[in-house]
Amino acid sequence: MLITKAPKGTEDLLPAESYKWQYLEKNFKTVCDNFGYKEIRMPTFEHTELFERGVGDTTDVVEKQMYTFNDKANRSITLRPEGTASVVRSFLQNSLYAQPLPAKMFYNISCFRYENKQKGRLREFHQFGAEVFGAAGATVDSEIISLAVTFLQRVGLNDLTVHINSIGCPECRKKYNEVLRDFFRPKLNELCDTCKGRFERNPLRILDCKSPECQKLGEDAPRLLDYICDDCRSHFDEVKRNLDNMGIAYEIDNGIVRGLDYYTKTVFEIISGEFTVCGGGRYDRLVEELGGDSMPAMGFGMGIERLLIRLEEMGIKLPNGNGLDIYIVPLGESAVPVVHELVYDLRKAGLNADTDHMGRGLKPQMKYADKIGAAYTMVIGDNEIEQNRGEIKNMQTGEQTELELSEVLDFFKELKRSVIADFLKGDNK
Ligand code: ATP
Ligand code: MG
């Protein structure tokens, strides 16, 4: 039954789980605010050429993974496999280079890659990302890395390791590519077919191949870091110094060349458990490559599904910020309109309030309230209406408080005030 089965590699986000995504989104935005990054939203699809040019036609993403189709006017369209190329396209199209620089932006997007489904690998997945345009200095590199680290630590990922490397500029890479070709030439026949093609066009890509044979053949390859020019070396030294000063621990990892073609100088990955949750780097040549003036830039993309898997594996519970404050049980027919009116008033005043729609009795309603996670419940029947009083029950402690029906809202206002007071006193730690 195709109708009741979503395409392979896609996932629904169900109502009971969505608070986790909202929590991550809220925190990512807060951290971006802290660092001075503003949100950008781009279309989900672009002209195929943008990714061929922007991501690079010798990459796995472009060679094997793109969702490309012709639209009804026969244009080649591709569902975005990543965010950076679209951000650069938008930066050029909207002349953002003419606004104050550096331009600092973040995004929260879905991405599409035709990959084999496995844990942490989907065909539609989601990324948080951040990009900076217009500044060539190493402080940008350390700022971008520290933004990603700050966010990940803030949501509880406390086992992360930052891996960094420098892949130099096109000048140092030209030299290194020759050294690398000399290294792979005797093994050329043993490389996978894709890498045979890469040997002439872009031998660096061979080091990023996922095939175990190619990985093994590349194990003793000469290190790019030994071939970078003085300028690239002093840039890398400064990035390391900045990270040291910020107290951000890192490892130098010569294996990181990154999957996308456009990187220059600093590249980095943030790893947790078996996953790379975040990858990024400097891409000083991409804006020019896509038709703009020379413009240094740096950014990262972070896989949200992988982050959630890691948080789950580590037993980190994310707070549910949109739970129900109160569920009110109407007992008897005459209570129904009274309760509906009260619930409506509470909702308008900003409380998360709910009541019965199924005509159920007391017990099943209490069970339902408990299941949907109501913080408080209240039962209103003929007695309560007559005396204009009722009891509000804390579902966690079982504690009951008697109050007038018109005081329900004040009760929650008082509750909020005391939570804030506790927070200010530091009692929430
Ligand atoms: P990998 O080496 O794991 O294939 P990549 O180098 O292709 O990753 P990037 O293009 O750097 O990944 O994307 C940034 C982040 O997006 C990755 O670090 C990962 O967290 C996430 N990501 C990439 N591809 C997928 C996918 N198919 N499913 C889920 N998350 C993904
Ligand atoms: Mg990949």
Side-chain angles (χ1 to χ4, degrees):
M1 276 300 281
L2 282 177
I3 292 176
T4 50
K5 206 163 169 14
K8 190 172 161 187
T10 65
E11 276 178 356
D12 295 310
L13 172 59
L14 299 175
E17 300 284 310
S18 52
Y19 74 92
K20 295 178 187 168
W21 284 70
Q22 289 161 354
Y23 176 78
L24 296 182
E25 285 162 3
K26 196 176 86 192
N27 278 277
F28 187 63
K29 182 184 176 299
T30 300
V31 172
C32 286
D33 285 345
N34 296 155
F35 281 73
Y37 289 64
K38 301 233 163 24
E39 184 172 11
I40 180 168
R41 299 193 188 190
M42 300 88 69
T44 309
F45 57 85
E46 300 271 3
H47 293 297
T48 301
E49 212 185 332
L50 172 67
F51 300 116
E52 285 172 349
R53 290 268 297 276
V55 180
D57 53 12
T58 56
T59 57
D60 266 358
V61 170
V62 171
E63 287 193 309
K64 302 177 186 164
Q65 301 173 347
M66 292 211 298
Y67 275 91
T68 298
F69 58 94
N70 282 359
D71 70 8
K72 290 187 196 302
N74 238 4
R75 295 178 198 96
S76 182
I77 294 293
T78 294
L79 302 183
R80 67 174 162 228
E82 54 104 52
T84 305
S86 294
V87 174
V88 174
R89 196 264 311 136
S90 175
F91 181 80
L92 291 174
Q93 182 175 348
N94 299 292
S95 314
L96 298 186
Y97 47 79
Q99 302 198 1
L101 296 175
K104 309 209 289 187
M105 47 196 105
F106 77 89
Y107 53 79
N108 171 10
I109 59 173
S110 51
C111 298
F112 305 85
R113 296 184 191 179
Y114 196 80
E115 300 209 62
N116 281 330
K117 186 173 165 26
Q118 38 175 287
K119 192 172 155 202
R121 202 173 282 290
L122 294 158
R123 292 184 173 175
E124 180 182 10
F125 64 99
H126 296 78
Q127 280 188 355
F128 292 143
E131 318 279 353
V132 186
F133 293 89
T139 51
V140 168
D141 307 42
S142 43
E143 178 175 291
I144 277 283
I145 294 171
S146 66
L147 194 170
V149 168
T150 303
F151 165 71
L152 290 170
Q153 286 176 340
R154 185 184 166 103
V155 298
L157 198 75
N158 49 24
D159 79 325
L160 56 83
T161 52
V162 180
H163 292 221
I164 62 171
N165 191 19
S166 173
I167 58 169
C169 58
E171 279 313 304
C172 4
R173 219 134 75 202
K174 219 186 280 167
K175 206 165 59 187
Y176 177 68
N177 279 346
E178 275 318 309
V179 175
L180 208 53
R181 282 198 194 95
D182 290 343
F183 173 80
F184 279 118
R185 195 163 287 117
K187 313 167 191 252
L188 191 55
N189 280 333
E190 298 164 65
L191 292 172
C192 75
D193 288 345
T194 316
C195 285
K196 282 190 184 110
R198 289 166 170 163
F199 177 80
E200 277 307 327
R201 286 195 294 162
N202 193 350
L204 190 62
R205 282 275 79 77
I206 302 172
L207 297 179
D208 197 45
C209 183
K210 296 281 188 296
S211 119
E213 290 78 35
C214 294
Q215 275 181 8
K216 186 128 190 50
L217 291 171
E219 250 168 26
D220 302 321
R223 302 165 359 131
L224 212 170
L225 213 46
D226 295 334
Y227 292 85
I228 64 177
C229 64
D230 290 348
D231 178 44
C232 289
R233 181 165 308 283
S234 67
H235 183 93
F236 192 52
D237 287 342
E238 197 185 329
V239 175
K240 290 187 288 183
R241 233 178 3 252
N242 294 345
L243 292 174
D244 289 337
N245 292 342
M246 292 161 130
I248 295 175
Y250 57 87
E251 289 169 24
I252 311 253
D253 183 343
N254 296 293
I256 301 182
V257 299
R258 305 287 306 129
L260 316 177
D261 262 356
Y262 48 61
Y263 289 104
T264 48
K265 293 186 176 165
T266 314
V267 287
F268 73 99
E269 292 186 351
I270 301 178
I271 295 171
S272 171
E274 65 190 292
F275 286 141
T276 301
V277 291
C278 177
R282 182 168 271 290
Y283 51 92
D284 290 346
R285 298 298 302 276
L286 182 59
V287 176
E288 214 174 329
E289 178 66 32
L290 294 178
D293 290 339
S294 168
M295 173 76 57
M298 167 101 188
F300 70 75
M302 183 186 289
I304 306 179
E305 285 86 356
R306 287 189 195 178
L307 172 57
L308 277 165
I309 294 175
R310 279 306 292 155
L311 291 171
E312 189 103 340
E313 282 175 355
M314 295 168 74
I316 291 156
K317 292 256 172 298
L318 301 181
N320 187 344
N322 37 17
L324 193 62
D325 297 317
I326 183 164
Y327 182 94
I328 307 185
V329 179
L331 263 196
E333 255 169 49
S334 56
V336 170
V338 176
V339 168
H340 270 270
E341 189 188 327
L342 178 58
V343 165
Y344 180 51
D345 286 343
L346 295 175
R347 287 170 171 174
K348 278 192 294 183
L351 284 187
N352 299 349
D354 216 342
T355 182
D356 177 61
H357 286 299
M358 309 287 284
R360 289 183 177 127
L362 174 64
K363 257 203 170 149
Q365 282 200 53
M366 289 303 282
K367 215 166 140 187
Y368 177 74
D370 191 40
K371 274 217 172 107
I372 62 174
Y376 288 85
T377 54
M378 187 171 194
V379 180
I380 297 184
D382 290 344
N383 265 349
E384 283 77 12
I385 292 172
E386 203 172 296
Q387 293 166 18
N388 194 29
R389 294 185 78 76
E391 282 186 339
I392 195 163
K393 179 178 175 185
N394 181 324
M395 293 293 278
Q396 264 199 339
T397 61
E399 189 189 339
Q400 311 232 26
T401 312
E402 201 192 320
L403 37 69
E404 275 186 24
L405 296 191
S406 59
E407 287 171 349
V408 177
L409 185 59
D410 292 335
F411 174 85
F412 281 96
K413 277 192 188 148
E414 190 51 45
L415 203 67
K416 276 213 174 108
R417 256 198 295 280
S418 65
V419 170
I420 292 169
D422 286 350
F423 179 79
L424 291 176
K425 274 190 283 173
D427 286 2
N428 67 328
K429 295 263 160 63

